[in-house]
Amino acid sequence: QASLTQVLQILLTNAVQSTTNLQLHVFADPSPKAYGTVDYISNGDQSSLIMSKSRVAPLKKLTLPKLKLMAASICTRLAHFVAEALKISFSNFVVHRWSLCEIVLHWLHSSKPPKQFIANRTKEITTLFPVTVWNHCPTHENPADLLNHGITTTQLHTSSIWQYGPQWLPLVEQWPSWNSSICNCVTSPMQKILMPQLQYQDHDRWS
C-alpha cells in the first residue's frame, strides 16, 4: 500500500506543472453491467488522468438509483485516496465530484432512517466527505462512462476524453450547467468542496 501511494505521488507530481488553481476532478457513472470512477488533476490550463477504478455490477440485479449510489460510493473512496496522496505534496487544492442524480442526493440528506443497503453507503460517503457537493456531467462527456460499456486498450490509448477528461475540464467558465426542471438531477457549474482533514482507512480495498 505504501508503494502504491508513492507511485501515485510521483504521477501527481509529474502531471502538475503548476500548483496554481489546483483541482482534483472525480467522475462516476453506473450502468446495469458495471460502475466506475476516474480521477483527473487540473491546474486551470491542462488536465491529466491520474487513476481509475471499476467494478462489475452485482449478480443480484439492483435498481439504477442503487447502482448510482454504489458509483457515488466508489467515487468518494477514490477521491479520498487520491486526495490523501495529493495533500502530501500540495497543501491547497479543491475536489470536484461529477455526476450524481437527485435520488442519491435525497438519500444523502434525508433524516428518515433508510434501508440498510442505502444507510451503509450514505454513511461512508458523508463520513469521507462531510460536505456533500456534486456537479453533473452529461453522460456523453463523462469519461467514467467508458468503464461501463467496454473499450479496448487501443481505444483507451487514443481517446482524448479518457486521457485528459472533457475538453472543458480546465476551464471553469465552460463547465456544464444543468436544468433540474427538465431532468431529475441537480448540479451547479461552480459547486466545489475544499479538502478537509480526514483519516482514510481500509486502504487495502485498492489492492
Side-chain angles (χ1 to χ4, degrees):
Q1 182 60 46
S3 60
L4 177 59
T5 303
Q6 291 171 356
V7 170
L8 184 55
Q9 290 173 19
I10 293 173
L11 289 174
L12 289 167
T13 302
N14 291 339
V16 177
Q17 303 299 322
S18 171
T19 59
T20 303
N21 194 29
L22 197 60
Q23 303 169 357
L24 174 63
H25 295 270
V26 191
F27 292 82
D29 196 57
S31 76
K33 295 183 178 180
Y35 58 98
T37 179
V38 57
D39 289 17
Y40 296 86
I41 194 74
S42 172
N43 62 5
D45 295 319
Q46 60 182 7
S47 57
S48 300
L49 172 68
I50 294 299
M51 192 174 185
S52 67
K53 180 73 175 181
S54 63
R55 288 184 176 174
V56 176
L59 292 177
K60 180 182 178 181
K61 289 187 178 180
L62 298 175
T63 63
L64 188 57
K66 286 186 176 180
L67 286 171
K68 289 180 180 292
L69 182 60
M70 294 182 72
S73 179
I74 193 175
C75 169
T76 302
R77 289 183 218 146
L78 189 62
H80 188 274
F81 176 74
V82 175
E84 286 290 293
L86 186 61
K87 72 179 185 180
I88 293 176
S89 302
F90 307 98
S91 59
N92 186 23
F93 61 95
V94 177
V95 180
H96 301 268
R97 289 176 294 175
W98 293 86
S99 186
L100 190 65
C101 278
E102 192 174 55
I103 182 63
V104 180
L105 286 175
H106 171 75
W107 286 335
L108 292 172
H109 291 285
S110 177
S111 59
K112 296 181 179 179
K115 294 182 179 180
Q116 195 63 45
F117 177 94
I118 299 171
N120 290 342
R121 286 154 184 82
T122 55
K123 180 180 179 181
E124 178 184 39
I125 292 170
T126 55
T127 298
L128 289 178
F129 280 100
V131 182
T132 310
V133 181
W134 297 76
N135 296 339
H136 176 82
C137 176
T139 298
H140 68 280
E141 294 183 318
N142 190 337
D145 184 60
L146 298 176
L147 297 169
N148 303 328
H149 301 289
I151 187 171
T152 66
T153 53
T154 300
Q155 290 173 316
L156 279 180
H157 183 70
T158 57
S159 171
S160 61
I161 193 172
W162 178 256
Q163 296 292 334
Y164 307 107
Q167 291 184 350
W168 43 259
L169 194 59
L171 307 173
V172 176
E173 64 276 8
Q174 294 184 17
W175 287 3
S177 58
W178 192 252
N179 188 340
S180 59
S181 64
I182 297 177
C183 297
N184 293 325
C185 291
V186 174
T187 189
S188 166
M190 292 299 293
Q191 289 176 333
K192 63 183 180 180
I193 53 178
L194 295 178
M195 178 59 192
Q197 296 298 318
L198 301 171
Q199 293 183 352
Y200 183 77
Q201 298 178 350
D202 199 15
H203 281 232
D204 59 352
R205 71 179 66 202
W206 302 111
S207 60

